[in-house]
Amino acid sequence: MSARDRILHATLRLIGEQGIGAVTNRAVARAAGVSLGSLTYHFPSQEDLLREALHAFVEQEIARITTYVTSLAESGMAPVEAADQVEKAVVEFAYGPEQIANLELHLHAARDPALRETSTRSIEAYDRLATAILKALDIPDAEHHAPAIVAMLYGLALRRLATGDTTATGTADAFRLLLLGALPRP
């Protein structure tokens, strides 16, 4: 792993474990096992570091989820059955300090215009991914429904993290409910 990647990983872990206030150059350099000079070489400002940490997390998560969705789409599964698979995927992907950091960085972006653009691009990437999932499931007007799916999954992630629920119970039912509402009526 490169020094840059170690810095980004350490930043996410610090945010997830201790909050954004814990992200100082010294703390990140120490956690990443790099010199302070190396940190400032790769990330001249804290805004650059936070923006890149959020971007890196989202890109990795989207790649991971896309692989899962591709196999799901190729299975030819009906939308209602797919909801159970989404719940299983959430259990596999949705825990750890990085997930907390992801949510915290999006909240921080509401107060920090320097991070807002990255947060917006990240949400848009999730919307595109949700659109692809809905299209793979033959849901009409997928672009229209995708933001609701993303909002629901973010809300459920926050609920799981806040309550310590590691089972993602209810995710399949909530996803199924949204899918049924999006399906054309006979």
Side-chain angles (χ1 to χ4, degrees):
M1 185 182 298
S2 71
R4 186 177 195 286
D5 289 339
R6 289 195 322 267
I7 292 167
L8 292 172
H9 182 73
T11 300
L12 287 169
R13 288 200 77 73
L14 278 171
I15 293 169
E17 291 170 354
Q18 301 174 33
I20 287 180
V23 178
T24 66
N25 284 353
R26 290 189 194 290
V28 172
R30 188 177 330 107
V34 300
S35 70
L36 199 52
S38 179
L39 174 79
T40 57
Y41 170 79
H42 290 289
F43 303 100
S45 72
Q46 186 149 28
E47 290 84 14
D48 292 332
L49 179 59
L50 294 176
R51 185 174 40 252
E52 288 301 313
L54 177 60
H55 178 75
F57 174 81
V58 168
E59 289 301 315
Q60 288 173 347
E61 188 169 72
I62 286 175
R64 199 170 44 230
I65 294 169
T66 299
T67 300
Y68 188 83
V69 167
T70 300
S71 68
L72 186 64
E74 291 171 354
S75 74
M77 185 176 299
V80 175
E81 296 165 344
D84 294 317
Q85 296 304 314
V86 167
E87 184 170 287
K88 287 179 188 173
V90 166
V91 170
E92 291 175 22
F93 299 140
Y95 295 97
E98 292 82 4
Q99 274 293 335
I100 296 170
N102 178 35
L103 292 169
E104 189 158 343
L105 282 166
H106 284 297
L107 291 173
H108 185 71
R111 295 181 297 274
D112 183 351
L115 192 55
R116 191 168 297 131
E117 181 184 338
T118 300
S119 178
T120 299
R121 283 194 345 254
S122 297
I123 297 295
E124 289 168 351
Y126 286 123
D127 286 349
R128 286 190 303 275
L129 179 59
T131 298
I133 293 168
L134 294 174
K135 283 181 178 180
L137 295 170
D138 293 324
I139 300 295
D141 203 14
E143 294 87 2
H144 176 75
H145 298 297
I149 297 292
V150 172
M152 178 201 66
L153 291 173
Y154 262 107
L156 289 172
L158 181 59
R159 180 182 175 85
R160 280 190 311 279
L161 290 168
T163 63
D165 176 16
T166 58
T167 64
T169 303
T171 301
D173 291 336
F175 191 66
R176 199 174 288 110
L177 180 66
L178 285 176
L179 288 176
L180 290 172
L183 288 171
R185 298 198 190 337

